[in-house]
Amino acid sequence: MKERVNFGSKIGAILAAAGSAVGLGNIWRFPYETGNHGGAAFIFIYLICIFLIGLPIMIAEFSIGRHSRANTAGAYKVLAPGTPWKYVGYMGVLAGFLILSFYSVVAGWTLEYTLQALSNGFSGMTQSKEFTLFFASFSSSTFRPILWMFCFLIMTHIIIEMGVKKGIEKSAKIMMPALFLLIVILAVCSLTLPGAGNGLEFLFKPDFSKVTPKVFMGAMGQAFFSLSLGLGCLSTYASYFGKEANLSRTAISVGIIDTFVAIIAGIIIFPAAFSVGISPDAGPSLLFITLPNVFQLAFGDIPLLAYLFSLMFYILLALAAFTSTISMHEVVTAFIHEEWKFSRRKAAWMVTVGCIVLGICSSLSFGPWSDFHLFGLNIFDFLDSLTSKIMLPLGGMLISIFTGWYLDRRIVWNEISNESKLKVPLFKAYIFILKYIAPIAISLIFIKELGIL
Ligand code: PHE
């Protein structure tokens, strides 16, 4: 078999997987989904989804990827030759492609905001109305957002073409610690704003009367999206893991890092939103309206600090998005390269060009095409809901059934215990979750949401 690249170290593997997981899903999507679904009760259900369903499925993906050492569809061909399981892989590749296309639009917005921060474009804005207006006119315009999306995809493309190893692993090692430090500082700033208490209450005091089937569906979708689960992204990365990587420990680290960043993002955004009177259910615009405001309000007296912090934050937001777009791109590129036998370079171009075309449609759905609806949603929201609420949980459910019921138990054991070198006290419980709990819980949520029960 052809030699495959590996990540150089255990910590590199963890940070690369965490780099995929931590992204706009945590800092942008988590707060607005929480806002749309009523706050703390949503978070409570989200946490259950992460730890009870998400982590076991992540370990399953890791096992599938490292054992097969192949792209996500190729993995099923190795582990279950001649069976329809490969369609789980195909669905994942499609989901990766669709997510990359709309995700790049928002990633592009972060570049515009970085540029604004760099040129001090937000200074002097103090009213939340001004930020709302700025965001609305920017995101609904035709060319600028498309240009930024284009830049973002080309940047992603360059890293993918350079090969995964040096780019992803090295950058993750530098960017992730910097990101933690900054978001903690920002959370502290946000907490000092007047009226911050209301935001915290919204975030931490659950009101279970607000829980509807939609809240479950939203929380589960967010858990899968945020952990990059259900599409074979982490299994593709695990195919680059070394023999010594500890799969369950890696999964737990990624889960904790991802949850930590999401909660801190909530602590930054909700106090700020309440403080400046922006409704928490403002949707995708929430982050882009509240955040520039936080900097101006928190450091208004010391303009240099406001300038530096906002600049650093947008750069890091862009970088967090970057490590995630790289991972999505890699899923599709590895698939086209290994399964359809195109050179890696050609495969990468096919993905990039395809995403640019679809990304343009998503971007236009905020402006000129905003009246065009599919199932009552604009193109952007449609792609987002289709992937995160349906394709990822469905993929996750099938991965869990595959690992729990189909895959030889010895393969699973050898992967998780590194050929019995590690102790795995919860192995039985883990298999039980994969066989019963995860598939049943996911199907119940589907059935409820579809209104069958
Ligand atoms: N987990 C990433 C985020 O939170 C998004 C993502 C989804 C990345 C699916 C890869 C695959 O931003």
Side-chain angles (χ1 to χ4, degrees):
M1 201 204 245
K2 178 173 101 236
E3 216 17 69
R4 249 175 106 86
V5 252
N6 267 1
F7 290 127
S9 63
K10 280 195 226 174
I11 183 77
I14 293 179
L15 288 177
S20 166
V22 173
L24 296 172
N26 309 59
I27 307 172
W28 159 74
R29 197 176 188 281
F30 173 78
Y32 87 73
E33 279 285 300
T34 304
N36 283 349
H37 291 106
F42 171 87
I43 298 184
F44 182 76
I45 299 169
Y46 169 76
L47 291 178
I48 296 180
C49 291
I50 290 272
F51 289 98
L52 194 68
I53 305 179
L55 289 192
I57 294 182
M58 192 186 297
I59 300 175
E61 277 205 26
F62 282 164
S63 311
I64 291 173
R66 188 172 65 172
H67 189 80
S68 63
R69 306 191 69 67
N71 68 84
T72 175
Y76 294 97
K77 292 192 186 159
V78 173
L79 298 171
T83 65
W85 282 109
K86 57 179 183 287
Y87 291 103
V88 178
Y90 295 152
M91 182 173 76
V93 173
L94 180 64
F97 177 76
L98 296 177
I99 297 177
L100 181 58
S101 72
F102 72 79
Y103 196 94
S104 306
V105 174
V106 184
W109 296 349
T110 68
L111 294 182
E112 166 76 18
Y113 275 65
T114 305
L115 186 75
Q116 288 296 335
L118 187 70
S119 60
N120 219 357
F122 294 125
S123 75
M125 288 196 192
T126 46
Q127 302 285 314
S128 61
K129 260 197 294 198
E130 293 172 276
F131 293 103
T132 313
L133 216 67
F134 175 83
F135 176 78
S137 77
F138 162 68
S139 63
S140 64
S141 57
T142 305
F143 293 111
R144 242 178 125 86
I146 291 181
L147 185 69
W148 286 126
M149 175 210 61
F150 179 82
C151 294
F152 211 98
L153 277 168
I154 294 294
M155 278 159 45
T156 308
H157 179 93
I158 292 172
I159 297 284
I160 293 291
E161 259 206 34
M162 275 165 37
V164 192
K165 195 177 172 183
K166 279 184 200 149
I168 298 181
E169 193 174 344
K170 236 193 201 150
S171 55
K173 274 187 180 163
I174 301 169
M175 273 152 39
M176 300 304 286
L179 180 75
F180 295 144
L181 189 69
L182 256 174
I183 60 169
V184 170
I185 295 177
L186 272 176
V188 174
C189 295
S190 192
L191 287 174
T192 59
L193 297 176
N198 294 338
L200 288 185
E201 197 166 296
F202 182 78
L203 199 55
F204 293 120
K205 205 165 148 202
D207 173 0
F208 288 102
S209 65
K210 288 187 183 150
V211 175
T212 59
K214 272 210 154 48
V215 174
F216 278 95
M217 190 88 169
M220 184 173 68
Q222 175 60 25
F224 277 94
F225 188 89
S226 189
L227 291 176
S228 311
L229 273 189
L231 75 166
C233 184
L234 294 180
S235 83
T236 305
Y237 267 20
S239 71
Y240 308 124
F241 282 3
K243 277 204 300 292
E244 75 298 341
N246 180 335
L247 300 188
S248 28
R249 196 176 286 169
T250 306
I252 293 169
S253 312
V254 173
I256 291 177
I257 294 173
D258 193 68
T259 307
F260 175 77
V261 175
I263 301 281
I264 299 276
I267 295 181
I268 296 175
I269 285 157
F270 288 111
F274 279 84
S275 167
V276 298
I278 287 168
S279 164
D281 58 4
S285 61
L286 187 65
L287 172 78
F288 292 93
I289 297 173
T290 50
L291 211 66
N293 231 332
V294 180
F295 298 115
Q296 299 305 327
L297 287 173
F299 303 111
D301 313 337
I302 321 166
L304 183 65
L305 274 189
Y307 176 79
L308 286 178
F309 272 105
S310 57
L311 183 59
M312 276 193 289
F313 187 79
Y314 287 115
I315 291 176
L316 282 169
L317 191 60
L319 292 177
F322 196 32
T323 47
S324 297
T325 53
I326 292 168
S327 70
M328 290 174 231
H329 202 300
E330 180 61 25
V331 175
V332 194
T333 302
F335 166 78
I336 296 181
H337 170 53
E338 292 173 6
E339 299 304 308
W340 295 349
K341 310 285 180 232
F342 284 93
S343 68
R344 203 178 145 87
R345 186 150 191 242
K346 277 203 186 116
W349 273 117
M350 289 160 83
V351 181
T352 304
V353 172
C355 277
I356 289 174
V357 173
L358 203 57
I360 291 177
C361 303
S362 288
S363 184
L364 291 176
S365 73
F366 284 94
W369 291 5
S370 59
D371 290 334
F372 178 75
H373 284 165
L374 288 163
F375 297 94
L377 301 168
N378 68 26
I379 300 175
F380 181 96
D381 289 336
F382 172 75
L383 288 177
D384 180 17
S385 291
L386 172 71
T387 49
S388 64
K389 296 191 177 143
I390 299 176
M391 292 172 91
L392 300 189
L394 184 64
M397 180 168 96
L398 293 170
I399 288 168
S400 131
I401 294 174
F402 178 76
T403 315
W405 291 95
Y406 184 89
L407 202 56
D408 188 336
R409 191 61 35 83
R410 273 167 311 185
I411 294 185
V412 185
W413 168 258
N414 281 338
E415 282 305 323
I416 298 180
S417 70
N418 286 354
E419 320 263 329
S420 304
K421 282 201 236 16
L422 305 170
K423 286 205 187 80
V424 190
L426 293 175
F427 188 69
K428 282 216 173 93
Y430 169 68
I431 294 292
F432 186 78
I433 292 180
L434 288 183
K435 277 178 106 159
Y436 302 102
I437 310 245
I440 292 174
I442 298 172
S443 350
L444 279 181
I445 294 176
F446 273 140
I447 292 170
K448 264 277 190 216
E449 171 69 15
L450 297 174
I452 302 172
L453 275 185

